[in-house]
């Protein structure tokens, strides 16, 4: 089973709702615009890029991932679509020209990145002035974390869903005190690949504010509840380059 299909079809109703809602919001944000070239950083198996293409939201696209397994999945999923390509980050220059992308997508990726600033150092030169950015990350701090851990626990009972555990003290600190710095995690250690535990989406927002102009901020799957009981935060932004 593909990575995207596992997210959308396995787990519990809570975990499926979280993933399905996130994908729907991202695709809805593309509205009726047909972008000339999309850059999907952390494209996984290429499902989102392919869906946007089939819905005529993008004309061409390039998916980027650091994982051999995911790029092999892209090779299978995108093999019949010549307008969609995929590569490792360090190979981007071989596939696209500077300032050629008018859409940048990055969903559920930055929480795993060791240096988020370096991601933007890499991709911004390939984005057109005023390009649209759609970026999502999981909410792993505040009250939402309690509900997410409950959903993950029951999803794991149904199969090997996999998730990072918290001690009661760690969970209280992260969920009630909004403090993810007081306990060890991949985000507090010098780990190349980061996990969900210890991730604070507010730090990503600060980086975006420094680099881009944020035009919308959406919480999913229940937008009216803000950061309470939601699994994901999604930003829409524009490139400041003119």
């Amino acid at each position: 089973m593909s990575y995207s299909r596992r997210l959308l079809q396995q787990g519990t109703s809570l975990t499926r709702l979280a993933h399905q809602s996130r994908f729907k919001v991202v695709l809805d944000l593309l509205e009726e615009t047909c972008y000339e070239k999309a850059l999907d950083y952390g494209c996984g198996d290429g499902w989102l890029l392919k869906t946007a293409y089939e819905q005529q939201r993008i004309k061409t696209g390039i998916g980027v991932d650091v994982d051999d397994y995911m790029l092999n999945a892209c090779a299978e999923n995108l093999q019949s679509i010549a307008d969609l390509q995929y590569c490792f980050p360090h190979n981007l220059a071989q596939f696209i020209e500077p300032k050629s992308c008018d859409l940048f997508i990055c969903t559920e990726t930055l929480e795993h990145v060791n240096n988020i600033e370096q991601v933007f150092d890499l991709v911004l030169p390939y984005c057109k002035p005023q390009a649209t950015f759609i970026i999502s990350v999981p909410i792993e701090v505040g009250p939402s974390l309690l509900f997410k851990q409950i959903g993950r626990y029951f999803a794991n009972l149904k199969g090997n869903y996999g998730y990072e555990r918290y001690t009661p003290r760690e969970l209280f600190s992260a969920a009630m005190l909004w403090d993810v710095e007081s306990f060890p995690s991949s985000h507090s250690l010098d780990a190349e690949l980061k996990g969900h535990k210890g991730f604070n989406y507010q730090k990503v927002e600060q980086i975006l504010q420094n680099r881009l102009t944020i035009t919308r901020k959406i919480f999913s799957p229940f937008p009216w509840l803000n950061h309470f009981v939601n699994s994901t935060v999604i930003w829409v932004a524009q490139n400041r380059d003119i």
Side-chain angles (χ1 to χ4, degrees):
M1 177 176 288
S2 71
Y3 170 74
S4 296
R5 184 171 296 181
R6 179 181 71 82
L7 294 181
L8 296 171
Q9 297 181 7
Q10 288 193 321
T12 65
S13 57
L14 284 175
T15 59
R16 289 194 299 272
L17 172 64
H19 295 303
Q20 291 169 1
S21 173
R22 178 179 74 254
F23 281 128
K24 182 179 186 304
V25 170
V26 171
L27 289 169
D28 287 348
L29 284 171
L30 300 181
E31 300 175 327
E32 300 302 318
T33 305
C34 185
Y35 293 91
E36 289 292 331
K37 183 179 289 292
L39 171 56
D40 185 354
Y41 191 92
C43 65
D45 58 15
W47 182 90
L48 182 60
L49 201 61
K50 181 180 180 180
T51 302
Y53 179 83
E54 291 174 342
Q55 293 182 358
Q56 298 183 338
R57 311 291 179 92
I58 62 173
K59 293 182 179 180
T60 63
I62 177 78
V64 178
D65 210 287
V66 300
D67 192 294
D68 289 303
Y69 172 80
M70 290 302 182
L71 291 185
N72 287 336
C74 282
E76 180 178 349
N77 294 336
L78 307 180
Q79 62 179 333
S80 61
I81 308 176
D83 291 326
L84 300 181
Q85 299 175 299
Y86 47 89
C87 68
F88 291 107
H90 61 270
N91 290 332
L92 256 178
Q94 301 175 24
F95 290 85
I96 55 176
E97 298 292 327
K99 297 186 182 300
S100 62
C101 297
D102 54 351
L103 174 64
F104 175 82
I105 304 171
C106 183
T107 60
E108 311 303 286
T109 297
L110 296 180
E111 67 273 18
H112 300 299
V113 172
N114 186 41
N115 190 323
I116 296 173
E117 294 277 9
Q118 287 183 354
V119 171
F120 288 98
D121 287 341
L122 172 68
V123 302
L124 281 175
Y126 295 102
C127 296
K128 289 183 177 181
Q130 301 301 308
T132 297
F133 288 70
I134 300 178
I135 298 166
S136 79
V137 296
I139 298 174
E140 301 291 339
V141 64
S144 290
L145 179 60
L146 290 172
F147 296 94
K148 293 185 78 169
Q149 287 300 99
I150 292 171
R152 289 162 172 164
Y153 171 79
F154 284 106
N156 195 57
L157 290 180
K158 297 178 64 176
N160 187 25
Y161 186 79
Y163 69 106
E164 294 174 282
R165 272 71 163 178
Y166 289 73
T167 68
R169 183 184 296 273
E170 291 171 346
L171 191 57
F172 178 81
S173 176
M176 298 293 101
L177 303 180
W178 290 71
D179 175 15
V180 294
E181 305 291 340
S182 61
F183 54 85
S185 72
S186 58
H187 288 274
S188 62
L189 303 172
D190 187 22
E192 183 64 28
L193 182 64
K194 306 295 186 178
H196 284 231
K197 183 178 179 179
F199 174 70
N200 187 347
Y201 74 89
Q202 295 169 317
K203 292 185 177 181
V204 176
E205 182 167 299
Q206 185 61 56
I207 292 172
L208 296 182
Q209 289 173 339
N210 293 337
R211 295 279 193 142
L212 306 167
T213 299
I214 298 175
T215 58
R216 292 185 68 183
K217 180 180 179 180
I218 304 162
F219 292 96
S220 175
F222 309 112
W224 60 92
L225 293 176
N226 294 324
H227 59 264
F228 296 98
V229 199
N230 273 304
S231 63
T232 304
V233 58
I234 303 167
W235 297 279
V236 182
Q238 281 192 316
N239 196 356
R240 288 178 182 166
D241 190 11
I242 56 175

